[in-house]
Amino acid sequence: MAYNLQSLITILQKILDPQQSLWIVDRNKPLLQSLLEKAESLLEKSSSLTNISSLESQIADVTYKAEDIIESRMVSSQLMQNRISMFEQVDSNRVRLTFPTADLQQVIQELDYAKEQVVKLISASFSHGDAQHGTQQLESTNIVMPAGVPLSSSQSDLVGVDADMLQLKDRLTNMQSKLDIIPITGMGGIGKSTLARNLYDDPLTTSHFDYRGWAAISQLPNMRDILLSLLRHPNEKISDELNECNENELKDILYKRLYGRRYMIVLDDIWSTKFWDEIRMYFPNNSNESRIVITTRDSNVAQHIVNSKSLHHNMQLLHTYESWDLLRQIVFGEEDCPLELQRIGTKIVSECGGLPLAIHVIGGLLSKVERSKDVWEQISTDVKASIVESDDRFSNILSLSYNRLPIYLKPCFLYMGAFPEDYEINGSRLMRLWIAEGFVKSNGDKSLEEEADDYLKVLVERNLFLVTRKKYNGNAMRYSIHDLLRDLCIRKANEENFDMRRLHVHSSFEIERVCASPQRMSLARSFICSQNKFPSSDFGILRLVRLLDVVDMVFEEFPKEILQLVNLHYLAFSCTSGIPIGISRLRYLQTLISSKYQYMPNNVPFEVWEISELKHLMLRTLIEIDKTEIVHKTLKTISYVRVTPSLISSGFFKRIPNIMKLEIYCATTPNIEVDLTHLHKLEILSCRSSLNYYNGYLHRLRFPCHLRKLSITCCVLCGRFLTTLCALAKLEVLNLNYCRFKRDGEAEEEWEATEEDEFRSLQFLSFNSLNLVRWKADETNFPRLRELFLYYCYELEEIPSAIGDIPTLKTIRIYKCGASVAASAEQIKKVQQEEYGNYDLKVVI
């Protein structure tokens, strides 16, 4: 668990940062600096090795020991200072931090020893050569390399990919003369190699190409073996002449053999761009319809090779009926499945999550056992365990993806195993959790949030995370993980003691288990509980916790024990009494979330603004802010701020210069403008008010020019105001919710966009519960609109017919609107199909 070093490094950097204003560490500074240097060096050297399994436990132990020594003393010193400041006039902003010298020296020595062992491994790998080093690492992890031929290459086992076969065969045999490279991407075990093998052996392709070659690349490619595979004729042994050639001679032979011929080459299971860059020059472009098929789990590798994601063929998981069809073929072949086994078989196959490899493994097991209801029922009770136990190769194939992850991504991947099966998590929340855990390293050029976003993208590109919901612009919003990969997370987390410092409670049974382990609780750094029965009195045991997420536990009074958890970086809770006095004791808080909605204003203690590291303040209550002089440069998110004349006159909005997401509420029309134009980083803005026809709130708002998303709720609108929004050149999303249209104090109920009204970047437009009756607009007003959503607009007569002429429009979604609205949407779709051949537009009613 060398990746744990990053958390230790983050802690030490925080203490030693010359800009920090909390800790005084003069006495121990040299030792702490030495410890930081040792940890950084060890992490760097560990990252250069694919696997250091023999040293993982040693590095993990010393890292945990160092963290416990440092954070225990930090917490004790801070609590002591807090108690003293309650009775004496002392500066509670500065805390002297001292450590037992012997303890620090001990962990430094242990880190030194671990570093020496890593250096020896690196030296040994260089002295024995890359090929032996690869073998050594594979043996050390007991990984069985997948065979060059996929688990099954029979046409009968290829289920659910008819469309894939047709599409790919067309790309292989079409008349495009230049060399075409076809990447097949997808998660481990999804059937990439099987699909490629069936394409390779298909009679159409065998007759179309003059020469065909297949090579299994794997994670540690041996170039000589790969060249020999490509030069070997199908079903023939390698000739003695080829065996006697060196690598460079084989490369020349391959190039000459392919030159002038129409060839099909399959490079199966590519893991790195380096291999491709080395071999690509030996595939000549004969301009004669030659093709290269590659399979890879890593979309980045495919992107590097073809430089266009649109050319990737990304394989999808099987549907339930396709999964059952595949299992039935594997177990019964041409025979009929007995009716009594069909129900159990469907249940078994549903546990495979649509992953062909899992279905093959469980099918192989079922084909060897007695075909009886009792035996199948027994297997169905624990399908996943049966899959893993019946075929080591299954576990090894999935483990390859984990073992090849960069060291900094391993804890981020393992973290998903802590959530329940089929759990979907917002990307923004997941990134904040990673940051609070200390997994994310800043390189100086990017913020931690930007780095975490890059981490997420890589895990998706490697097909380890699934994107379950996208935003309006196609970017990922929610994520989940395949059940079998989740099992891999849990297994690896147990093997590497990853979950020893993390308590994630999702059932009453887990509550009992956690409460029975006070020692484990006292060392926990993360506590996430989705149950509402956990005793709040036990929070005090979590003295070193950095992350506390208990939003499902609703408190009437804020638990005072939480205010003693001074190591907290992330706090999410639900409490009807709001934010307590004393919250500023949590000096390291970066994220503060209260999910309990309150509709009455609630004074947030002034001391909240004194938490210097606070980035995200998300309260489901109206925040009354008294005059404050503090400039808060770290704040990126804040909701909901109640806009009052005193708030504006105090210049509050000028004191949050780096805010990116802001939610504001206004009950009455302020006397002066609400000027947000100076908030140059603000991208997402939500405006609410109490709905009345005398509220001129929106007309006094001045928007920043970089606004990307705007939501307006319970406000009074008129066409003139919406015209002003056209000046927001980067506005991509506009949500209008529970609003009323008016003109000169009268209900207008009409929005007529003029020729000059152009929302030049708007892609998503949503109307929800408006009193709008007539809407007049055409394609020139929304030239880039992709999605139009209409909810509960009972009074709206119709959608303007010219909306259908917007070339980018993909979806019109209607819910609980009048029949005439639905009819106009259907008419738009009909015209687009019959007159323009546009079958891409979807209308969902």
Side-chain angles (χ1 to χ4, degrees):
M1 286 178 27
Y3 50 72
N4 268 9
L5 286 163
Q6 182 54 56
S7 174
L8 174 61
I9 290 168
T10 301
I11 296 168
L12 289 167
Q13 287 175 335
K14 186 173 296 185
I15 295 172
L16 294 169
D17 183 359
Q19 303 299 320
Q20 64 90 17
S21 58
L22 177 59
W23 304 111
I24 303 172
V25 291
D26 296 341
R27 173 184 161 188
N28 298 116
K29 192 168 185 178
L31 282 176
L32 292 173
Q33 188 66 49
S34 176
L35 182 58
L36 174 60
E37 292 169 1
K38 304 288 185 188
E40 288 177 329
S41 177
L42 179 56
L43 179 60
E44 180 184 0
K45 293 187 181 302
S46 300
S47 300
S48 66
L49 288 174
T50 304
N51 180 58
I52 53 171
S53 58
S54 58
L55 296 174
E56 287 284 10
S57 60
Q58 180 182 334
I59 295 174
D61 288 344
V62 67
T63 304
Y64 281 149
K65 184 187 296 185
E67 283 188 354
D68 290 346
I69 291 170
I70 295 170
E71 290 191 294
S72 291
R73 189 53 63 100
M74 289 170 67
V75 168
S76 298
S77 300
Q78 180 68 60
L79 290 174
M80 179 64 72
Q81 188 81 346
N82 289 344
R83 283 193 289 270
I84 293 173
S85 64
M86 293 176 62
F87 302 102
E88 301 179 20
Q89 293 297 319
V90 298
D91 181 7
S92 61
N93 293 323
R94 300 285 285 168
V95 182
R96 187 165 297 279
L97 192 57
T98 59
F99 303 93
T101 301
D103 289 348
L104 290 181
Q105 289 176 334
Q106 177 67 27
V107 292
I108 289 172
Q109 289 174 5
E110 292 181 23
L111 280 178
D112 260 339
Y113 179 75
K115 178 182 171 183
E116 289 173 8
Q117 301 307 305
V118 171
V119 170
K120 287 180 180 179
L121 272 181
I122 295 174
S123 300
S125 68
F126 279 112
S127 63
H128 288 89
D130 288 343
Q132 289 186 14
H133 170 50
T135 305
Q136 175 189 4
Q137 287 204 19
L138 285 174
E139 289 174 352
S140 68
T141 52
N142 295 319
I143 294 176
V144 179
M145 293 298 295
V149 181
L151 269 176
S152 172
S153 59
S154 67
Q155 185 67 38
S156 62
D157 286 344
L158 198 64
V159 172
V161 291
D162 292 342
D164 302 72
M165 282 288 291
L166 287 172
Q167 182 182 350
L168 291 173
K169 280 199 287 187
D170 179 66
R171 285 186 66 179
L172 285 169
T173 60
N174 63 25
M175 302 300 290
Q176 178 179 304
S177 60
K178 71 174 184 177
L179 175 65
D180 190 16
I181 303 170
I182 305 170
I184 301 176
T185 59
M187 67 184 293
I190 203 167
K192 303 182 296 295
S193 298
T194 302
L195 178 59
R197 175 61 67 177
N198 278 274
L199 288 167
Y200 185 78
D201 292 334
D202 190 272
L204 181 62
T205 56
T206 56
S207 62
H208 183 77
F209 294 100
D210 304 324
Y211 186 91
R212 292 179 303 128
W214 177 291
I217 311 305
S218 77
Q219 61 171 336
L220 293 169
N222 183 306
M223 181 60 77
R224 190 173 187 280
D225 289 347
I226 290 167
L227 293 168
L228 288 172
S229 294
L230 293 174
L231 290 167
R232 178 180 57 193
H233 292 290
N235 303 317
E236 289 185 7
K237 292 183 178 181
I238 298 171
S239 66
D240 293 337
E241 181 182 354
L242 287 177
N243 264 326
E244 293 172 1
C245 295
N246 62 35
E247 185 177 304
N248 288 329
E249 290 171 335
L250 291 173
K251 289 176 179 177
D252 289 338
I253 294 171
L254 177 64
Y255 184 87
K256 291 174 181 177
R257 185 173 291 186
L258 297 180
Y259 189 79
R261 306 174 79 177
R262 180 192 293 165
Y263 61 83
M264 175 188 177
I265 296 294
V266 178
L267 302 176
D268 185 33
D269 198 23
I270 294 182
W271 286 78
S272 73
T273 59
K274 180 181 177 182
F275 164 78
W276 170 256
D277 292 339
E278 186 178 350
I279 201 173
R280 62 186 298 182
M281 66 186 71
Y282 302 104
F283 299 126
N285 185 358
N286 300 317
S287 297
N288 63 353
E289 304 171 26
S290 292
R291 303 288 184 260
I292 299 174
V293 176
I294 69 164
T295 72
T296 179
R297 307 180 189 195
D298 193 333
S299 298
N300 267 344
V301 172
Q303 176 77 5
H304 174 83
I305 292 173
V306 299
N307 200 30
S308 174
K309 284 193 174 181
S310 63
L311 297 176
H312 298 189
H313 189 88
N314 192 45
M315 296 193 67
Q316 305 299 314
L317 297 169
L318 298 179
H319 295 293
T320 303
Y321 66 89
E322 294 169 335
S323 298
W324 166 244
D325 193 23
L326 177 57
L327 183 67
R328 182 185 54 76
Q329 288 185 23
I330 295 169
V331 179
F332 296 99
E334 298 300 321
E335 300 178 29
D336 292 330
C337 172
L339 289 176
E340 65 175 4
L341 297 182
Q342 285 188 18
R343 180 187 60 80
I344 310 172
T346 303
K347 177 184 176 184
I348 289 173
V349 86
S350 67
E351 290 292 310
C352 296
L355 189 65
L357 175 61
I359 298 169
H360 274 280
V361 173
I362 200 68
L365 174 64
L366 291 172
S367 65
K368 295 172 184 174
V369 300
E370 181 185 343
R371 294 180 182 177
S372 70
K373 183 178 178 181
D374 291 341
V375 172
W376 279 42
E377 285 279 13
Q378 184 179 358
I379 292 174
S380 73
T381 58
D382 197 352
V383 174
K384 291 168 191 171
S386 300
I387 291 172
V388 174
E389 291 170 4
S390 65
D391 195 326
D392 289 338
R393 185 156 59 137
F394 172 80
S395 296
N396 293 330
I397 288 174
L398 292 184
S399 294
L400 279 175
S401 293
Y402 174 75
N403 294 334
R404 290 290 294 178
L405 276 177
I407 199 166
Y408 62 88
L409 285 179
K410 287 186 175 181
C412 299
F413 173 69
L414 294 181
Y415 208 71
M416 284 292 278
F419 298 102
E421 286 187 11
D422 303 319
Y423 187 82
E424 294 184 12
I425 186 167
N426 270 15
S428 56
R429 181 188 176 209
L430 185 57
M431 289 188 289
R432 287 193 290 267
L433 294 175
W434 286 348
I435 291 170
E437 290 274 9
F439 297 160
V440 184
K441 175 186 177 182
S442 174
N443 63 8
D445 297 327
K446 294 182 178 180
S447 67
L448 290 175
E449 288 78 10
E450 289 171 326
E451 288 287 349
D453 189 51
D454 287 343
Y455 289 11
L456 263 175
K457 289 175 181 175
V458 173
L459 288 166
V460 171
E461 287 163 353
R462 288 174 176 256
N463 292 290
L464 293 173
F465 282 8
L466 303 172
V467 176
T468 56
R469 183 175 174 183
K470 294 185 177 181
K471 300 178 183 177
Y472 62 92
N473 57 7
N475 290 341
M477 180 178 177
R478 290 183 185 171
Y479 301 81
S480 68
I481 191 170
H482 192 280
D483 286 351
L484 292 165
L485 283 173
R486 177 179 175 272
D487 292 341
L488 173 67
C489 285
I490 294 171
R491 189 173 75 253
K492 289 293 184 182
N494 288 332
E495 290 173 1
E496 300 178 8
N497 288 330
F498 176 79
D499 52 1
M500 286 299 293
R501 301 301 174 95
R502 291 167 185 88
L503 302 176
H504 292 189
V505 180
H506 303 293
S507 68
S508 56
F509 168 76
E510 289 174 318
I511 288 179
E512 295 176 6
R513 180 172 55 83
V514 166
C515 291
S517 306
Q519 176 66 18
R520 188 179 172 198
M521 290 179 68
S522 68
L523 295 175
R525 299 307 200 275
S526 164
F527 185 85
I528 298 177
C529 182
S530 60
Q531 298 290 301
N532 58 7
K533 297 179 181 179
F534 190 84
S536 60
S537 58
D538 284 351
F539 286 146
I541 305 175
L542 301 163
R543 59 188 305 270
L544 299 180
V545 74
R546 300 172 194 153
L547 187 157
L548 182 65
D549 189 336
V550 288
V551 291
D552 293 308
M553 302 171 62
V554 181
F555 307 108
E556 293 185 6
E557 295 293 332
F558 189 89
K560 62 182 182 300
E561 293 85 0
I562 292 178
L563 296 180
Q564 303 301 309
L565 307 180
V566 293
N567 200 35
L568 275 176
H569 292 60
Y570 181 108
L571 173 60
F573 67 97
S574 298
C575 183
T576 56
S577 62
I579 306 296
I581 300 294
I583 194 69
S584 62
R585 299 175 198 169
L586 309 181
R587 296 289 297 273
Y588 281 142
L589 265 189
Q590 297 173 351
T591 299
L592 179 58
I593 300 172
S594 175
S595 67
K596 183 65 178 177
Y597 279 90
Q598 293 184 13
Y599 298 99
M600 296 299 293
N602 190 348
N603 278 311
V604 173
F606 176 81
E607 58 186 287
V608 165
W609 313 110
E610 296 176 344
I611 305 175
S612 60
E613 296 194 24
L614 193 62
K615 293 182 179 181
H616 307 285
L617 179 63
M618 294 178 284
L619 311 180
R620 292 296 176 251
T621 183
L622 302 182
I623 304 174
E624 292 275 15
I625 301 176
D626 295 325
K627 185 175 181 180
T628 175
E629 301 295 330
I630 298 175
V631 177
H632 217 307
K633 293 184 178 181
T634 60
L635 264 176
K636 296 179 181 294
T637 306
I638 183 170
S639 62
Y640 279 95
V641 176
R642 188 180 190 195
V643 178
T644 61
S646 62
L647 176 83
I648 299 170
S649 62
S650 72
F652 173 76
F653 292 122
K654 294 180 180 179
R655 294 183 171 84
I656 50 173
N658 296 313
I659 202 76
M660 299 179 69
K661 180 178 180 180
L662 177 65
E663 297 180 338
I664 59 177
Y665 174 89
C666 188
T668 59
T669 303
N671 298 329
I672 56 178
E673 289 183 349
V674 182
D675 187 0
L676 306 178
T677 55
H678 59 281
L679 299 177
H680 300 299
K681 296 185 179 181
L682 183 61
E683 295 186 348
I684 302 174
L685 176 64
S686 177
C687 305
R688 291 175 177 261
S689 78
S690 39
L691 187 61
N692 63 69
Y693 284 98
Y694 304 99
N695 192 329
Y697 161 52
L698 291 177
H699 300 295
R700 291 189 170 273
L701 265 176
R702 298 294 176 263
F703 298 99
C705 60
H706 289 85
L707 207 61
R708 233 177 7 91
K709 179 178 180 180
L710 175 62
S711 297
I712 300 174
T713 304
C714 292
C715 292
V716 177
L717 301 173
C718 70
R720 187 172 67 256
F721 165 74
L722 293 169
T723 296
T724 65
L725 298 184
C726 294
L728 302 177
K730 296 186 177 182
L731 189 67
E732 298 176 350
V733 178
L734 178 60
N735 295 315
L736 304 178
N737 307 305
Y738 302 95
C739 293
R740 293 293 177 265
F741 284 76
K742 72 152 194 172
R743 178 195 299 163
D744 301 327
E746 300 290 334
E748 182 177 22
E749 301 175 351
E750 179 177 287
W751 179 16
E752 182 176 0
T754 67
E755 293 182 2
E756 291 76 25
D757 292 348
E758 180 185 353
F759 292 82
R760 65 193 74 175
S761 298
L762 198 68
Q763 299 180 37
F764 181 95
L765 178 61
S766 171
F767 295 168
N768 183 5
S769 303
L770 307 182
N771 70 330
L772 191 62
V773 176
R774 289 172 296 279
W775 178 26
K776 299 179 181 179
D778 60 34
E779 71 276 14
T780 65
N781 303 123
F782 307 98
R784 302 182 68 180
L785 192 68
R786 295 175 58 86
E787 297 185 62
L788 173 64
F789 284 15
L790 304 174
Y791 302 108
Y792 300 102
C793 293
Y794 297 109
E795 300 174 49
L796 184 64
E797 293 176 349
E798 64 178 5
I799 301 170
S801 59
I803 291 294
D805 296 329
I806 300 173
T808 56
L809 189 65
K810 298 298 181 185
T811 306
I812 299 176
R813 190 179 299 273
I814 298 169
Y815 183 75
K816 297 288 186 180
C817 296
S820 60
V821 172
S824 66
E826 292 287 8
Q827 180 62 24
I828 289 172
K829 179 181 178 181
K830 180 180 179 182
V831 169
Q832 287 298 307
Q833 290 181 349
E834 294 180 355
E835 297 186 14
Y836 303 104
N838 177 13
Y839 290 89
D840 294 332
L841 177 61
K842 292 193 302 183
V843 174
V844 182
I845 301 175

